[in-house]
């Protein structure tokens, strides 16, 4: 599918086969995800959710403690460490699965990778102070996502002459900077960053990036896509996030057929089923 991409990626001792699409299951450990917000409740539910995603065939569990939603509470690095590190430690101990940490903070990168995280997933592409150095020191693979890096002013409308080329150019320059900081090329995964707000895409740009997704492979890195329940689906279907499962699955299939090596989703079991039937058809 993409000869310049190594097939097996070492994620802190656990191997990820990049010769086929992998499902990354989203695990939120933000207390506001749950009604009572209690810390023990959050921990137990996170572990239960992780078990379900492992049993459903996830290849990676992505653990995040800081919401990127516009207007979401900004939390300190210490609070983010307190939320994610115990969950990362428990999941990487209990399950034979690659754990990624969804963070932009240098302190969280250091603590999470010490606790067993095998991938650093940063929606700000290691732009925050110390993040690049912390990721390089951790020796684990990194996911660099395109975004505006900071939340735009309300009313900001993103504009690109050619969204695929501009996003590709940004990702290529971040990937080069990573290599100068000592991160091996083989340990870099790119993500065009679907979605509005800080991610900087209108629904029309998201749709163009899906249509032209295979062009991102020209950069020569594995590519991840996160489209699950995102607002461009709501813009097309005029529905709410909890009504976007079938469209999320349809887009996951389009992305898998366009060569995405990792697909980041809420609904692991359903997505794994889609990829299995697609694989069976391909093998017929
Ligand atoms: C509010 C806004 C809540 C945005 C949740 C989100 C991605 C990611 C996220 C992605 C990578 C969501 C996002 N999205 N990491 N983290 N790629 N690499 O919809 O698309 O899950 S958070």
């Amino acid at each position: 599918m993409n000869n310049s991409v190594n097939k097996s990626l070492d994620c802190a001792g656990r191997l990820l086969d990049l010769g086929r699409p992998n499902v990354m299951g989203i695990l939120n450990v933000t207390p506001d995800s749950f009604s009572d917000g209690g810390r023990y409740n959050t921990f137990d539910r996170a572990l239960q959710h992780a078990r379900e995603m492992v049993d459903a065939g996830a290849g990676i569990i992505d653990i995040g403690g800081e919401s990127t939603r516009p207007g979401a509470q900004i939390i300190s690095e210490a609070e983010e460490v307190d939320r994610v590190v115990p969950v990362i430690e428990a999941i990487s101990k209990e399950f034979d699965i690659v754990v990624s940490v969804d963070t932009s903070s240098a302190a969280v990168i250091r603590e999470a990778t010490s606790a067993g995280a095998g991938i650093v997933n940063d929606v700000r592409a290691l732009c925050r102070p110390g993040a690049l150095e912390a990721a390089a020191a951790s020796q684990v693979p990194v996911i660099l996502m395109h975004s505006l890096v900071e939340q735009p002013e309300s009313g900001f409308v993103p504009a690109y002459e050619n969204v695929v080329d501009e996003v590709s150019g940004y990702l290529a320059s971040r990937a080069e900077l990573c290599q100068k900081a000592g991160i091996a090329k083989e340990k870099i995964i790119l993500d065009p960053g679907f979605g509005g707000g800080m991610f900087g895409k209108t629904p029309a740009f998201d749709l163009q990036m899906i249509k032209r997704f295979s062009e991102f492979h020209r950069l020569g890195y594995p590519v991840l896509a996160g489209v699950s329940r995102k607002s461009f689906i709501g813009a097309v279907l005029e529905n709410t996030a909890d009504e976007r499962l079938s469209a999320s699955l349809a887009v996951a299939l389009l992305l898998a057929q366009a060569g995405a090596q990792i697909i980041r989703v809420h609904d692991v079991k359903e997505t794994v089923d889609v990829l299995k039937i697609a694989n069976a058809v391909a093998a017929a």
Side-chain angles (χ1 to χ4, degrees):
M1 205 169 286
N2 193 327
N3 292 328
S4 61
V5 169
N6 268 349
K7 278 203 162 186
S8 198
L9 184 65
D10 184 339
C11 303
R14 288 177 184 156
L15 298 183
L16 198 62
D17 178 5
L18 293 173
R20 57 169 175 83
N22 291 269
V23 173
M24 169 189 272
I26 301 167
L27 184 67
N28 278 316
V29 289
T30 47
D32 59 356
S33 317
F34 309 113
S35 49
D36 81 336
R39 186 152 297 180
Y40 293 105
N41 185 47
T42 302
F43 180 87
D44 290 342
R45 292 185 68 157
L47 242 61
Q48 181 56 33
H49 188 196
R51 183 184 310 279
E52 285 162 18
M53 294 197 288
V54 170
D55 291 347
I60 309 165
I61 306 258
D62 188 42
I63 302 176
E66 187 230 19
S67 179
T68 48
R69 199 175 292 110
Q73 189 83 37
I74 294 165
I75 62 166
S76 69
E77 287 188 316
E79 174 65 22
E80 198 184 335
V81 166
D82 287 351
R83 282 184 192 176
V84 300
V85 168
V87 176
I88 289 168
E89 201 161 54
I91 291 173
S92 56
K93 213 177 270 172
E94 183 134 354
F95 308 110
D96 183 22
I97 193 157
V98 173
V99 169
S100 68
V101 59
D102 190 343
T103 190
S104 299
S105 141
V108 178
I109 291 170
R110 282 190 291 270
E111 299 291 327
T113 52
S114 298
I119 301 182
V120 172
N121 172 29
D122 187 6
V123 299
R124 296 182 183 84
L126 304 175
C127 283
R128 289 249 168 111
L132 185 58
E133 294 74 16
S138 78
Q139 304 268 27
V140 305
V142 298
I143 296 163
L144 307 175
M145 196 193 86
H146 173 273
S147 75
L148 305 174
V149 179
E150 296 305 333
Q151 212 57 249
E153 303 288 319
S154 83
F156 172 82
V157 182
Y160 306 88
E161 186 102 37
N162 183 326
V163 68
V164 171
D165 289 359
E166 286 169 54
V167 167
S168 294
Y170 173 84
L171 292 173
S173 76
R174 294 306 302 171
E176 257 175 57
L177 213 65
C178 282
Q179 287 164 76
K180 288 192 179 123
I183 301 174
K185 181 170 193 222
E186 295 68 35
K187 292 185 177 177
I188 298 172
I189 298 164
L190 303 180
D191 177 352
F194 293 93
M198 196 194 83
F199 292 11
K201 320 296 185 304
T202 61
F205 288 128
D206 282 334
L207 296 170
Q208 286 175 31
M209 294 205 303
I210 294 164
K211 190 176 181 182
R212 297 174 59 192
F213 191 79
S214 62
E215 293 178 43
F216 291 115
H217 292 300
R218 291 176 184 163
L219 295 166
Y221 300 86
V223 188
L224 179 150
V227 294
S228 185
R229 303 182 191 171
K230 283 191 177 175
S231 56
F232 73 89
I233 296 172
V236 173
L237 302 182
E238 302 185 81
N239 64 8
T240 56
D242 63 329
E243 301 170 323
R244 297 175 190 164
L245 172 60
S246 18
S248 297
L249 297 175
V251 180
L253 179 59
L254 293 173
L255 293 166
Q257 305 227 291
Q261 282 88 355
I262 304 174
I263 306 191
R264 182 180 178 275
V265 305
H266 300 89
D267 305 286
V268 172
K269 169 93 169 58
E270 292 84 351
T271 309
V272 168
D273 279 354
V274 163
L275 298 180
K276 275 186 188 164
I277 196 74
N279 190 53
V281 170

